[in-house]
Amino acid sequence: MHHSELGTSGVEVSEIGFGAWVVGTDWWGDRSEEDAIEMIQYAVDQGITYFDTGDVYGHGRSEELIGQALAAVRDEVTVATKVGYDFYNNPQAGHGELPKEMDPEYLRDAVEQSLDRLEMDSIDMLQLHNANVDEITPDVLELLDELEEEGKIDATGLALGPSIGWLAEGDLAIEEEFDSVQLVWNVLEQEVGNHFLETIEETGSTTSLIPRVPHSSGILNEQVTPETELGEGDHRGFRPDEWYETGWEKLEELRFLERNGERTMGQASIAWLLSHDAVATVTPTFRTTEDIDEWAAASDVPKLSDEEMDRVDELYETNFDIDRDDGMDALRSSVDGADIESAGLDKLAAD
């Protein structure tokens, strides 16, 4: 397992991270708390040292499980959490988005409660959870500085979503030299990641990128095939049928990335992301220990060649020669759309 630094924070992460949204919630499959703890500890055994959770996951339960599972190895791992959704005063309705609260006083209190649940003295990285650009105010930036000075956090990040977009927010975080920006990014969904690479290059920022959903909700790791029936409550079910139908066609065009016995498609999808210098760690959605075995090893598989990277670029630029809608434009949105328009992307604005 290789490691990288988040920005210039001095905080080190494994190239493959553990997205702890899968524990403490049932959005990615139901599992007992005992199984969740065993899964986290198994990830440590496979060399994973970066664990990414959030206070809203299971309304605090994911943080509690992370704290319990990692207590014995606290000095050997890096833990990130997120704050900004007010689940304390609002009930969860299915997979709907809760109201956000980015007032500095609220955020400080949320950090204290996260520390209590994690049973930790400090958080290695604190991320603002889906903050809009107008919510990242000078007062919020000052609070983040204060929390660092007080030793409560060591690095700051911005986790983007849930829509695929939010360019203005990521650009602001990069310009403000946040240590990381987390985003949806994979070989089938490149627009936003490519845009942030350009922003980093133009600004000279040291911000690291943390891609999630590297397997495009099951297509690139072949966990969702034409024969798959997604269960009720499976978070992958939010994507339209057209997305999967076009995705399976694109997958066949990417088979050249596989190397028999050396690199699976699931590993190649992660290795493609790690080929970008700005990427510090990739957080796939682990559902089983078998997933951990395969994807944790992606840090050590043969790197993609220049020829392979160029071929991926060529395919993406021509939309894999597929001339029909994938049904996702309505979900690729950003607040008021001005950022998407200025970036030259043909996507929709949020209502």
Side-chain angles (χ1 to χ4, degrees):
M1 178 69 69
H2 299 277
H3 295 80
S4 299
E5 180 182 5
L6 291 175
T8 56
S9 65
V11 174
E12 187 179 86
V13 294
S14 53
E15 282 192 336
I16 315 302
F18 187 105
W21 41 81
V22 299
V23 299
T25 74
D26 60 2
W27 288 19
W28 290 268
D30 200 10
R31 59 183 52 79
S32 70
E33 294 188 350
E34 293 77 11
D35 287 343
I37 289 174
E38 288 181 7
M39 192 172 175
I40 295 164
Q41 293 173 338
Y42 186 83
V44 174
D45 292 339
Q46 305 313 307
I48 292 174
T49 61
Y50 175 64
F51 293 83
D52 187 323
T53 186
D55 65 354
V56 74
Y57 301 149
H59 290 196
R61 192 59 186 137
S62 178
E63 289 181 326
E64 292 172 346
L65 292 170
I66 285 289
Q68 292 175 39
L70 299 178
V73 292
R74 177 64 185 101
D75 294 339
E76 303 169 26
V77 297
T78 296
V79 175
T81 195
K82 311 176 190 74
V83 294
Y85 279 113
D86 184 8
F87 63 90
Y88 298 102
N89 300 301
N90 298 280
Q92 183 77 50
H95 289 189
E97 189 174 7
L98 288 170
K100 285 182 291 182
E101 179 57 77
M102 296 291 169
D103 177 78
E105 185 175 347
Y106 171 86
L107 293 174
R108 176 177 282 279
D109 184 60
V111 169
E112 295 292 351
Q113 296 198 57
S114 287
L115 286 167
D116 287 344
R117 285 189 291 267
L118 290 164
E119 296 188 53
M120 296 176 182
D121 296 326
S122 65
I123 297 165
D124 298 309
M125 182 171 68
L126 178 71
Q127 300 167 91
L128 299 180
H129 204 169
N130 300 342
N132 293 349
V133 68
D134 59 357
E135 294 172 326
I136 307 174
T137 64
D139 287 345
V140 169
L141 295 175
E142 182 179 354
L143 171 68
L144 296 176
D145 288 339
E146 290 174 358
L147 291 171
E148 282 199 57
E149 292 170 2
E150 295 167 12
K152 295 185 184 297
I153 66 174
D154 295 320
T156 59
L158 176 64
L160 297 178
S163 300
I164 302 170
W166 306 88
L167 298 183
E169 286 74 14
D171 284 347
L172 175 61
I174 290 168
E175 291 160 6
E176 291 289 342
E177 299 262 17
F178 276 48
D179 295 302
S180 75
V181 170
Q182 183 187 130
L183 68 154
V184 172
W185 188 14
N186 57 66
V187 72
L188 300 184
E189 300 168 278
Q190 295 187 31
E191 291 102 327
V192 178
N194 291 343
H195 175 82
F196 290 150
L197 290 176
E198 293 176 2
T199 303
I200 289 171
E201 183 175 359
E202 291 169 0
T203 61
S205 174
T206 59
T207 300
S208 296
L209 299 179
I210 301 178
R212 69 178 188 276
V213 199
H215 297 122
S216 200
S217 296
I219 290 178
L220 293 169
N221 57 12
E222 300 186 79
Q223 289 187 351
V224 179
T225 71
E227 290 73 40
T228 302
E229 292 186 14
L230 297 175
E232 184 177 353
D234 191 313
H235 195 62
R236 294 170 294 185
F238 84 91
R239 292 183 184 263
D241 291 343
E242 296 90 339
W243 168 257
Y244 286 107
E245 290 164 4
T246 57
W248 293 322
E249 292 183 42
K250 295 172 183 178
L251 173 64
E252 294 309 312
E253 296 297 319
L254 292 167
R255 291 291 184 191
F256 68 92
L257 294 176
E258 294 177 302
R259 291 193 186 178
N260 187 31
E262 290 188 308
R263 191 169 67 198
T264 66
M265 182 60 71
Q267 292 170 335
S269 303
I270 295 172
W272 178 82
L273 288 164
L274 291 171
S275 295
H276 299 88
D277 291 340
V279 173
T281 182
V282 179
T283 53
T285 299
F286 298 115
R287 290 179 173 81
T288 65
T289 55
E290 289 77 15
D291 289 344
I292 296 172
D293 287 337
E294 179 181 349
W295 304 336
S299 180
D300 295 311
V301 300
K303 296 185 180 301
L304 272 63
S305 68
D306 291 342
E307 291 77 15
E308 289 172 322
M309 295 293 289
D310 289 343
R311 179 59 180 149
V312 171
D313 289 344
E314 291 169 4
L315 287 168
Y316 195 78
E317 287 172 6
T318 62
N319 194 35
F320 296 78
D321 291 326
I322 296 174
D323 186 22
R324 68 177 188 278
D325 184 15
D326 64 11
M328 281 289 288
D329 269 357
L331 300 175
R332 296 188 182 107
S333 62
S334 190
V335 176
D336 80 25
D339 51 353
I340 286 179
E341 183 178 355
S342 66
L345 301 181
D346 183 20
K347 304 303 172 191
L348 301 182
D351 294 331

